[in-house]
Amino acid sequence: MISLLNPFLLFLALPITGLLIWAYRKKGDGKRFQFGSLFLLQQIQERSVIRRRFSPPPRFFVELLFLLLTVAALSGVMLRQEESVIVLLFDNSESMGVRRTSGESRLEEGRVLLTEWIADREQRGGAPRYRVFSLAPQPRELSDLPLSASAARTVLSKLSPVAAEEQIEAGLQIAARTLGGEEVVLVSDRAAGEVVFSEGRRFHHLYVGSDTKSDSALPKNIALAGAEYLSSSEAIEVRLYVSETTTPKFSEQEAIVTLSEVSEKDGSIVLKDFRRNRFTFEQSGEHRFRFKNIRDAQSLHIRVQYSHDLLAADNEMWLSIRPHRQRIVLSAESSAEELGLLLGGGKEIRRSPLVLPLPPGEDGSVYISERRVVPLEREEIPPGIHVLPLRKGDTVEEILPVQAAGKLVRAQRGHPVLDYVDLQVTDFGQVSPLIVPEWGEPLLETEAGVIAYIGVPAEKPVVITGFQLFPLRGEATPFSTIFFLNAMKWITTYLPDERKEWRPGGPLPERFSARQALSFATSSDQALQQVGERLPLERSVLVSPARDDVEGEIHFFSPQESSLSPPPLGGQRFSEGSAASPEQERPLLPYLLLLILVLLAGDLVASSLSLRYRGEAA
Amino acid sequence: MFEILEPHALRQLESLQLRSQRKFLGSRQGGNVSLRRGHGIEFADYRRYELGDDPRHIDWGVYGRTDRLYVKQFQEEQDITVYCLLDGSASMHHPAEDRKFQKAAELALGVLYIALAHHDQVSLVIPGETVFGPRAGVALIHELAELCEGVGPIAAEKSEEGFSHFLHTVQYPGVCLFISDFLFPLPHVQHTFESLYSNNLDVIAIQVVGAHDENPGLSREEAIFVDSETGAELPLRWSPSVAEEYRYRFEVHQAAVRELAAKYQIRFFSCGSAQGVLPFFSETLAGSGVLRT
């Protein structure tokens, strides 16, 4: 069966053949007679010019064959046998990029499964051809023509997850409409919907997901699960979480916990280590130990170091120890309007009269006053990120115009634990639920709450204020908290120093002094606010609204762990939102052939042109 | 080697002298009557005696008859400049058996030797190839012969450029010997004649006609005729009727060239490529007054 990639190019054969015939007629059959001067003969040309039969030499046919073959090559003529066609639907959505503890992603697992399936199918004979479709962001065929098994494997090897949802149903419908598709193979971590295939077609679903393999081995990780100040005993109890049980060497069972005093000097944070303990663990799970003789009214920084730790993001914690048992940051009489919480998609947030009880635990826990806030529409604020605008002054006289910050992006491809939200493109009032795999949850249990604020006034710098940790109360920490913690941690760690114009713990710079700073964080059912005071000592940062300094890469974890440009899963990496396509690898051969054709035609024409006579006008 | 340079041929040429139809002002003493009045043999006119005239030139016979003093004036004899334009285009070399350029070169060398022998200045110009002179001296004839040797077909464009360059560099009026086959379109022939005429040259045109120019002598066949000068191609079936018409058009062309020559007061001669040079000099040119013994 003959097929053509570019059938319209076959029309080139007609003018090319005509051109060649014209050139040969002009050129003649090669018998030439040198004449002194032709001008006398030209005068009698009209009556005696040869009307010859066209009898080209053999060279003509060779050249014609060459040209026609060139045209055929340009047209992409292909000869293939009648064969069965198998439709391969490959889910390349973002969820397929989730990696197992072994480091293998679902996409890689699916690729292996599909490759094995193809190998089995090849062994059954028939030499079927494959039409490969990717399912995200839209179902699209990755090649213009059905592929061989090896070509299909090559195409599959270039697939990478894209930040979009898969379109399984649409893909199946395309497969149902695809002519010649006798078998349909779906590779996905999601269940396929109901698709009715015509008779004679077989459907295979190669399922990849968390339930297809048992995750027996968790990554080695030590995390600070929490820290509490025990005022009665003047001690800090640190809780560590160890994720792995078996370690081959004794040296791998030892971590170092360091306690540093946080102070401000010349406008910058200074950490002064004053306690360091070695911590030996033999079992996974939670471990507790105490630092004694710790006075209150200070800010501390706790970090744990473990040489084989796979996730460094959860290894530190900031702790503010206040002399008072409860620190009321938000006045009970303050209205929601005064708090500047009225903006954002009609979600009016109102402070609730309900005062939550103090968390159970030791006396003197690090705790900041909290108030329940609920929207006027009785709509609970879902967990996630809430971005609110800054205000001028203490009253709600003028709300600074806010600048749309873009869209939510979940694009942390290949990260072993978490998705993340790009702060630079997060919209105001936007709630960004984070998707965390089940097996990653134990790691998330280890972190603490956070107060954070992100505001983007128009034509003003983005202000991201600091965060305040508070210990867990025995329940799962919201993912958004983890996110905020790590986001702030990254920003304060990796942002260039010159961008840290706003010194943490100090007043706002003069040009921002008229502006009231807010801190805000949410969990599943509570909000924490801070108004009208100097921000906590912990960390603050000022970044440019141009976003140029953090646009390229945003690491909420360590760069090694969560690079925005992870190495490709295999083969060529494609741009986000697109899938591998042979069109991007169009070979140069057709263009070279076209060039040869043009040159040849030009040569034929040039050789047929007559020169002017001596004395004739040019 | 040119036969015209054989000793016996040179001796015959020395007995000939180039005659110009017009008188020119020369630069030094020579054998041609000049426009200048002065010392000479040929009487020119009488003039009233003026103070300072040489008394020896007073015609005393006239004084005796008229009782007035007159002095005799003579035409001064000076040299002239002889230019030789030798066409070296491809048609002069084709077909090779006609040896048209060889014949044209011998004609040119013969005329130039005659001029050199009479102390005239000569200039040899092969348009697009050579520009020599004007210089005087019999010994130059061998240098001129060397210049004519080894000249191959010259491209039409180059030949045209050389001809234009010659017209712009002519310094002295004189005799111009133009040797060509004149096988190019009449407008160009006219342009050539007109250009030479307008440069105050006494032009002598000699057409060298090859045997194949008049009669290509082709058998009845189809072929692509290729112009030797331009490379232009013309597919043609050669037949007796075509041959007859070609001869007719050739004769018409010859007649037209002669007519144009007459129009611009150019003495035009045809010399067959098989014709001897010395007989052509002694019979044709001497008979027409171009040369004198």
Side-chain angles (χ1 to χ4, degrees):
Chain A
M1 181 180 176
I2 294 178
S3 62
L4 296 171
L5 273 180
N6 304 306
F8 59 90
L9 282 180
L10 275 185
F11 289 106
L12 272 179
L14 290 175
I16 286 176
T17 305
L19 184 67
L20 193 64
I21 293 174
W22 173 81
Y24 266 84
R25 287 189 69 91
K26 187 84 176 172
K27 190 177 175 183
D29 56 1
K31 186 182 290 183
R32 290 161 182 278
F33 183 80
Q34 193 86 10
F35 208 74
S37 188
L38 274 184
F39 77 99
L40 288 175
L41 285 177
Q42 280 180 326
Q43 295 174 357
I44 57 177
Q45 177 190 5
E46 294 300 325
R47 283 175 292 165
S48 299
V49 69
I50 296 173
R51 304 293 181 194
R52 295 173 298 173
R53 288 179 289 105
F54 181 59
S55 56
R59 182 185 169 192
F60 167 81
F61 296 102
V62 173
E63 290 182 1
L64 182 62
L65 182 63
F66 167 74
L67 290 174
L68 293 181
L69 286 177
T70 305
V71 170
L74 284 173
S75 307
V77 62
M78 294 183 67
L79 183 64
R80 58 188 177 89
Q81 299 174 341
E82 287 291 342
E83 60 217 355
S84 60
V85 175
I86 296 175
V87 177
L88 305 179
L89 303 175
F90 202 95
D91 181 2
N92 61 329
S93 63
E94 188 182 15
S95 62
M96 290 292 283
V98 172
R99 290 186 180 274
R100 299 184 171 282
T101 53
S102 60
E104 182 187 37
S105 69
R106 293 176 182 177
L107 188 137
E108 291 166 339
E109 179 190 342
R111 185 153 43 214
V112 171
L113 286 176
L114 188 56
T115 304
E116 291 173 353
W117 188 91
I118 291 174
D120 292 340
R121 183 64 180 79
E122 292 289 308
Q123 285 182 353
R124 293 203 298 270
R129 311 290 286 186
Y130 299 90
R131 301 185 63 172
V132 186
F133 292 82
S134 62
L135 297 180
Q138 295 294 330
R140 60 174 298 188
E141 190 167 4
L142 301 183
S143 65
D144 295 330
L145 290 174
L147 303 170
S148 64
S150 60
R153 279 192 288 268
T154 303
V155 169
L156 288 173
S157 69
K158 295 173 181 175
L159 266 178
S160 60
V162 297
E165 294 294 326
E166 70 283 343
Q167 303 289 335
I168 292 181
E169 286 72 21
L172 290 173
Q173 289 172 2
I174 289 177
R177 292 196 304 266
T178 302
L179 295 176
E182 297 176 352
E183 293 183 67
V184 178
V185 181
L186 169 66
V187 180
S188 176
D189 57 350
R190 305 292 166 89
E194 289 291 330
V195 176
V196 178
F197 288 101
S198 60
E199 289 187 4
R201 290 192 175 184
R202 285 172 289 175
F203 176 67
H204 310 272
H205 187 186
L206 304 181
Y207 187 78
V208 291
S210 58
D211 55 346
T212 57
K213 286 187 178 179
S214 61
D215 292 309
S216 57
L218 290 171
K220 296 176 182 178
N221 183 58
I222 285 183
L224 276 172
E228 293 182 65
Y229 180 68
L230 309 177
S231 58
S232 56
S233 56
E234 291 189 336
I236 288 180
E237 183 178 82
V238 177
R239 285 185 291 130
L240 289 172
Y241 185 89
V242 180
S243 65
E244 192 172 29
T245 56
T246 57
T247 51
K249 298 177 183 178
F250 180 77
S251 62
E252 296 181 4
Q253 299 176 359
E254 188 178 74
I256 298 174
V257 180
T258 306
L259 198 61
S260 305
E261 182 181 0
V262 181
S263 60
E264 181 186 9
K265 183 177 182 181
D266 298 331
S268 59
I269 292 291
V270 176
L271 296 181
K272 182 180 179 183
D273 298 351
F274 68 100
R275 293 291 177 85
R276 178 172 294 178
N277 280 0
R278 290 188 182 277
F279 167 65
T280 304
F281 55 90
E282 296 178 353
Q283 295 179 343
S284 63
E286 189 175 273
H287 298 262
R288 295 175 181 238
F289 66 96
R290 294 187 178 185
F291 287 102
K292 295 181 179 177
N293 299 324
I294 305 296
R295 58 180 175 81
D296 60 1
Q298 62 176 331
S299 294
L300 299 176
H301 176 258
I302 308 170
R303 67 179 182 276
V304 57
Q305 294 170 283
Y306 174 49
S307 57
H308 300 282
D309 197 4
L310 292 178
L311 185 63
D314 51 9
N315 287 3
E316 62 177 331
M317 181 173 287
W318 302 82
L319 199 60
S320 285
I321 304 171
R322 303 299 179 191
H324 305 292
R325 186 168 176 274
Q326 181 175 354
R327 177 184 174 207
I328 302 299
V329 179
L330 180 64
S331 167
E333 288 72 29
S334 299
S335 65
E337 289 80 4
E338 288 175 335
L339 300 179
L341 303 179
L342 297 178
L343 303 181
K347 289 180 180 176
E348 186 175 0
I349 303 172
R350 174 172 295 179
R351 177 173 54 82
S352 169
L354 175 63
V355 176
L356 293 179
L358 292 177
E362 293 291 330
D363 187 20
S365 296
V366 178
Y367 182 72
I368 296 177
S369 171
E370 60 185 4
R371 297 287 187 273
R372 172 183 288 261
V373 291
V374 293
L376 284 180
E377 295 85 356
R378 304 292 180 188
E379 179 184 350
E380 286 289 333
I381 304 173
I385 305 167
H386 297 260
V387 183
L388 302 175
L390 284 179
R391 294 177 50 216
K392 268 184 177 177
D394 296 331
T395 59
V396 197
E397 293 178 353
E398 181 184 4
I399 302 299
L400 293 180
V402 294
Q403 172 178 306
K407 63 177 181 178
L408 171 68
V409 173
R410 274 198 307 120
Q412 181 65 358
R413 288 193 300 267
H415 193 276
V417 179
L418 287 178
D419 295 339
Y420 76 91
V421 176
D422 186 348
L423 290 181
Q424 298 299 311
V425 295
T426 303
D427 209 346
F428 284 91
Q430 185 171 4
V431 175
S432 305
L434 299 175
I435 298 175
V436 181
E438 303 80 37
W439 46 268
E441 193 167 352
L443 298 178
L444 303 176
E445 293 279 357
T446 62
E447 282 295 358
V450 63
I451 300 172
Y453 175 82
I454 303 167
V456 187
E459 301 178 358
K460 298 293 181 183
V462 177
V463 176
I464 303 176
T465 70
F467 55 90
Q468 176 90 29
L469 294 183
F470 60 96
L472 295 175
R473 295 168 300 174
E475 59 191 50
T477 305
F479 299 153
S480 57
T481 303
I482 303 298
F483 159 73
F484 268 124
L485 171 64
N486 292 302
M488 294 303 146
K489 192 183 299 180
W490 176 84
I491 290 172
T492 53
T493 304
Y494 294 102
L495 210 62
D497 290 335
E498 58 269 21
R499 293 296 184 181
K500 297 177 181 176
E501 299 176 10
W502 185 18
R503 293 189 293 275
L508 285 168
E510 285 186 3
R511 60 181 182 278
F512 303 117
S513 59
R515 187 172 304 161
Q516 193 171 27
L518 296 176
S519 292
F520 184 74
T522 68
S523 62
S524 60
D525 60 352
Q526 55 192 288
L528 208 61
Q529 306 163 19
Q530 180 175 352
V531 182
E533 288 190 357
R534 285 172 51 163
L535 288 169
L537 184 61
E538 282 69 27
R539 290 289 174 98
S540 300
V541 69
L542 196 65
V543 298
S544 163
R547 308 169 190 167
D548 51 350
D549 49 354
V550 289
E551 187 178 14
E553 288 192 345
I554 299 175
H555 304 288
F556 294 158
F557 303 88
S558 66
Q560 292 76 19
E561 287 174 322
S562 58
S563 169
L564 260 188
S565 304
L569 296 177
Q572 180 180 352
R573 179 172 179 265
F574 294 92
S575 59
E576 189 174 322
S578 65
S581 169
E583 293 175 357
Q584 297 173 355
E585 300 174 335
R586 189 178 292 278
L588 288 176
L589 180 62
Y591 300 102
L592 291 176
L593 291 175
L594 189 61
L595 180 63
I596 291 172
L597 205 61
V598 170
L599 290 176
L600 185 61
D603 179 59
L604 288 173
V605 172
S607 63
S608 303
L609 292 177
S610 298
L611 302 174
R612 69 186 180 91
Y613 255 98
R614 178 178 60 171
E616 284 182 346
Chain B
M1 184 61 186
F2 297 100
E3 294 178 1
I4 195 68
L5 299 183
E6 295 289 335
H8 71 279
L10 292 178
R11 278 197 296 276
Q12 291 188 40
L13 292 176
E14 286 169 0
S15 64
L16 299 173
Q17 186 178 4
L18 188 63
R19 287 189 61 189
S20 172
Q21 283 183 317
R22 296 153 59 186
K23 294 173 182 174
F24 304 103
L25 284 174
S27 58
R28 55 187 179 175
Q29 196 76 24
N32 297 281
V33 176
S34 168
L35 289 173
R36 189 183 303 276
R37 302 282 173 85
H39 301 286
I41 298 173
E42 194 168 332
F43 172 75
D45 200 357
Y46 284 107
R47 179 173 59 79
R48 290 290 294 268
Y49 175 79
E50 293 177 357
L51 194 61
D53 286 339
D54 191 346
R56 290 177 296 179
H57 293 159
I58 296 174
D59 191 330
W60 295 108
V62 175
Y63 175 74
R65 290 194 295 274
T66 62
D67 202 18
R68 291 178 181 173
L69 287 175
Y70 286 91
V71 293
K72 296 170 75 174
Q73 287 190 313
F74 299 91
Q75 295 259 301
E76 198 161 334
E77 291 188 342
Q78 292 183 314
D79 65 337
I80 59 172
T81 303
V82 178
Y83 300 96
C84 182
L85 270 175
L86 181 56
D87 184 7
S89 63
S91 65
M92 290 291 287
H93 295 80
H94 188 86
E97 54 265 33
D98 281 353
R99 297 167 60 84
K100 287 196 293 185
F101 183 78
Q102 176 82 5
K103 182 63 66 180
E106 293 206 16
L107 289 171
L109 290 173
V111 174
L112 292 175
Y113 183 76
I114 292 171
L116 290 171
H118 290 85
H119 312 291
D120 292 327
Q121 296 199 76
V122 301
S123 172
L124 174 64
V125 176
I126 304 175
E129 179 78 16
T130 302
V131 177
F132 177 86
R135 290 171 62 186
V138 181
L140 292 176
I141 192 63
H142 298 289
E143 191 175 345
L144 294 170
E146 288 178 2
L147 291 175
C148 293
E149 285 179 352
V151 174
I154 302 170
E157 292 80 5
K158 201 174 173 185
S159 181
E160 281 181 44
E161 290 175 6
F163 182 72
S164 299
H165 181 260
F166 164 72
L167 293 177
H168 286 93
T169 53
V170 170
Q171 290 182 340
Y172 310 106
V175 176
C176 177
L177 184 68
F178 185 20
I179 306 175
S180 172
D181 56 2
F182 292 100
L183 287 179
F184 39 90
L186 281 177
H188 184 49
V189 175
Q190 181 175 6
H191 170 72
T192 303
F193 286 171
E194 188 175 8
S195 302
L196 294 172
Y197 178 77
S198 61
N199 270 271
N200 196 22
L201 296 170
D202 180 15
V203 183
I204 302 166
I206 300 177
Q207 182 185 31
V208 180
V209 181
H212 291 84
D213 288 340
E214 292 182 272
N215 183 10
L218 300 176
S219 57
R220 184 192 182 97
E221 60 179 345
E222 295 175 356
I224 309 265
F225 286 74
V226 181
D227 192 302
S228 61
E229 292 188 4
T230 65
E233 296 180 349
L234 179 67
L236 201 67
R237 179 186 293 112
W238 190 261
S239 63
S241 62
V242 172
E244 186 177 350
E245 182 157 0
Y246 171 78
R247 281 193 293 274
Y248 168 74
R249 292 199 173 274
F250 180 77
E251 290 172 4
V252 169
H253 179 72
Q254 294 288 87
V257 172
R258 287 176 183 277
E259 190 174 337
L260 283 174
K263 176 182 177 183
Y264 293 102
Q265 301 176 14
I266 293 173
R267 290 174 282 179
F268 186 87
F269 305 96
S270 275
C271 176
S273 60
Q275 190 175 353
V277 175
L278 286 175
F280 179 75
F281 280 176
S282 59
E283 296 172 6
T284 306
L285 296 185
S288 62
V290 174
L291 298 175
R292 66 182 177 188
T293 56

